[in-house]
Amino acid sequence: MAKSELKPCPFCGGSARILRLRGGKYCVACSSCGARGGAVWVKDWHDTPFVAQGQAAKLWNARNEMIGG
């Protein structure tokens, strides 16, 4: 799994990490408080987890900006 640049949690400032969920989904979650970003599925047209992980990181970072982190 490639490292993506993840911003700290907008709620507690904790570090974030990419999680693999059931059903071929990925999301980013805070290691401290457990806050989660949106889930992204590995799609047939990407067929690589790397793309889904990058999209999950983008969702997390965009959510962080919207909250003011």
Side-chain angles (χ1 to χ4, degrees):
M1 182 183 316
K3 277 272 192 193
S4 295
E5 184 67 34
L6 297 173
K7 294 184 179 183
C9 178
F11 302 108
C12 73
S15 62
R17 60 190 173 112
I18 296 175
L19 297 178
R20 181 173 181 242
L21 306 173
R22 289 184 182 184
K25 296 185 280 188
Y26 290 87
C27 77
V28 176
C30 175
S31 299
S32 298
C33 73
R36 287 188 176 187
V40 178
W41 284 263
V42 176
K43 306 274 192 305
D44 291 338
W45 59 89
H46 329 141
D47 88 351
T48 173
F50 180 74
V51 174
Q53 292 167 9
Q55 290 179 341
K58 283 182 184 180
L59 284 174
W60 174 264
N61 290 338
R63 182 174 140 261
N64 194 357
E65 289 171 9
M66 287 187 280
I67 294 173

